[in-house]
Amino acid sequence: MKKRNLLLSVVMSALLVTTAAGCGSSGSKSSEAGSGGGTDAGSTDKKNYTVAISQIVEHPSLDATREGFIAALKDAGITEGDNLKLDYNNAQGDQANNLSIAQKIASGKNDLVLGISTGSAQALVQQVKDTPVLFAAVTDPLDAKIVSNLEQPGGNVTGGSDTNPEAVQRLMDFIAESFPNVKNVGIVINEGEPNAIVMAKNAEETLKKHNIKLVRAAVTNTSEVKQAAESLVGRVDALFITLDNTVVDGVDSIIQLANEKHIPFFSSDRDTVEKGAFATVGFKYYDHGYQVGQMAVDILKNGKKPGDMKVTMQEKLDLILNLKAAEAQGITVTDAMKDKVTDKENDIIQ
């Protein structure tokens, strides 16, 4: 009996050791998974995340979008260098790079991916099928075929549109009402960018109601922006650009020309106005990125499915004026113009 009890004791001890070792092995696997996006069982339920970002080119609006996105994650406790691994990719304005970046991201292990710009989002949607995909700085996600429904996108894709059709219409109305001598508005445009085409058409239709003509100067890359803008001198009374990544990347040359020739220059984003365009109807791209970042938090921490989240749109629009740019371009800013600005403290740039 003593031998039997001794044998039973040895067997039970062996089982306990084996079980403990098994638990340690399982915890190690969870920790490894955590480094790639899983939950770290050794921590207090702390999860690590991997997020990949594809951005078509670096310029103030897109950079501010990315910064706002990252800030929203940080405010929710998802911080780079702590529990967030961020894979940022810049295509340098090259569509071929855009595609290769999307392919690289698709082959990796990410918890979520973000496309900043229409082209970047399109490439990601084409390549990434099993990971949540968010987009930002996309003008018309329906026309770009990024989603087929704004309220219920379905699948693994959703995000934020960086425009509201009303913004372009209000800006064109402002030009017509405040500049009665303007009969032709020149636009430098890359016809290969879907967002630029949509916005230019909207502007053209609105200007037509005021008997104003939109005159186009086409470019295919940023190096052509200066020459295209110069080709409009003498043919137009004002200049305008859309959320056209190719053109915005070379906008300094348009600002310089507008100042030298005293041509009123209107843009479609606040950042370009802050750089030297006279006016826009818009918002802060940092806020746009932050809003999309909040969507990312809902997906990563709350388990929401992208396909069930409606595409967001910028609702808070205001006229934004740059008074220094007005002086440089020979524009007399009237009280009537200033009265159209709702938030005068923040949206009249001195």
Side-chain angles (χ1 to χ4, degrees), residues 256-268:
Q256 183 180 353
L257 181 70
N259 294 345
E260 289 176 355
K261 302 296 183 180
H262 283 189
I263 304 173
F265 174 36
F266 303 87
S267 71
S268 296

Side-chain angles (χ1 to χ4, degrees), residues 5 67 79 89 92 140 271-272 291 295:
N5 288 340
E67 290 162 7
T79 306
N89 303 268
Q92 304 289 343
D140 191 338
D271 296 293
T272 300
Q291 187 177 39
M295 299 175 76

Side-chain angles (χ1 to χ4, degrees), residues 109-168:
K109 186 177 181 181
N110 299 288
D111 296 292
L112 181 141
V113 301
L114 170 70
I116 303 178
S117 80
T118 300
S120 297
Q122 286 174 320
L124 287 175
V125 169
Q126 183 183 33
Q127 299 294 324
V128 180
K129 301 299 182 183
D130 300 320
T131 301
V133 176
L134 286 178
F135 58 81
V138 171
T139 300
D140 191 338
L142 291 176
D143 184 75
K145 295 180 172 54
I146 293 172
V147 295
S148 58
N149 187 303
L150 298 179
E151 292 295 321
Q152 198 81 14
N156 65 323
V157 182
T158 190
S161 171
D162 66 347
T163 192
N164 182 322
E166 184 185 335
V168 172

Side-chain angles (χ1 to χ4, degrees), residues 283-296:
F283 53 89
K284 290 184 178 181
Y285 267 80
Y286 180 93
D287 295 340
H288 167 61
Y290 195 95
Q291 187 177 39
V292 176
Q294 290 176 314
M295 299 175 76

Side-chain angles (χ1 to χ4, degrees), residues 91-278:
Q92 304 289 343
D94 189 318
Q95 293 298 337
N97 290 344
N98 222 19
L99 179 58
S100 63
I101 287 170
Q103 291 171 337
K104 184 203 83 168
I105 289 174
S107 67
K109 186 177 181 181
N110 299 288
D111 296 292
L112 181 141
V113 301
L114 170 70
I116 303 178
S117 80
T118 300
S120 297
Q122 286 174 320
L124 287 175
V125 169
Q126 183 183 33
Q127 299 294 324
V128 180
K129 301 299 182 183
D130 300 320
T131 301
V133 176
L134 286 178
F135 58 81
V138 171
T139 300
D140 191 338
L142 291 176
D143 184 75
K145 295 180 172 54
I146 293 172
V147 295
S148 58
N149 187 303
L150 298 179
E151 292 295 321
Q152 198 81 14
N156 65 323
V157 182
T158 190
S161 171
D162 66 347
T163 192
N164 182 322
E166 184 185 335
V168 172
Q169 294 161 11
R170 282 175 55 181
L171 183 60
M172 297 304 108
D173 288 339
F174 173 75
I175 294 172
E177 293 166 9
S178 304
F179 297 82
N181 294 327
V182 170
K183 302 302 177 186
N184 295 284
V185 174
I187 180 172
V188 180
I189 182 171
N190 177 3
E191 302 278 6
E193 288 205 27
N195 54 316
I197 295 172
V198 171
M199 294 183 73
K201 183 179 179 182
N202 191 6
E204 188 170 36
E205 291 175 351
T206 305
L207 288 173
K208 191 174 181 180
K209 296 176 183 177
H210 299 286
N211 295 316
I212 298 174
K213 184 178 179 182
L214 188 69
V215 181
R216 299 172 185 244
V219 298
T220 57
N221 58 66
T222 299
S223 65
E224 298 172 355
V225 170
K226 184 176 185 292
Q227 185 177 357
E230 289 173 343
S231 74
L232 293 169
V233 175
R235 299 194 293 144
V236 302
D237 310 299
L239 295 169
F240 166 67
I241 62 171
T242 67
L243 299 173
D244 185 325
N245 296 306
T246 303
V247 177
V248 174
D249 195 32
V251 76
D252 288 345
S253 61
I254 302 179
I255 293 171
Q256 183 180 353
L257 181 70
N259 294 345
E260 289 176 355
K261 302 296 183 180
H262 283 189
I263 304 173
F265 174 36
F266 303 87
S267 71
S268 296
D269 66 295
R270 182 190 183 95
D271 296 293
T272 300
V273 171
E274 291 179 350
K275 285 187 85 172
F278 167 55

Side-chain angles (χ1 to χ4, degrees), residues 173-175 177-180 278 318-319 321 323 331-342 344 348:
D173 288 339
F174 173 75
I175 294 172
E177 293 166 9
S178 304
F179 297 82
F278 167 55
D318 196 10
L319 177 66
L321 303 177
L323 301 189
I331 301 168
T332 300
V333 180
T334 65
D335 289 339
M337 292 181 186
K338 293 179 181 179
D339 286 343
K340 295 181 182 294
V341 180
T342 302
K344 292 179 174 58
I348 294 180

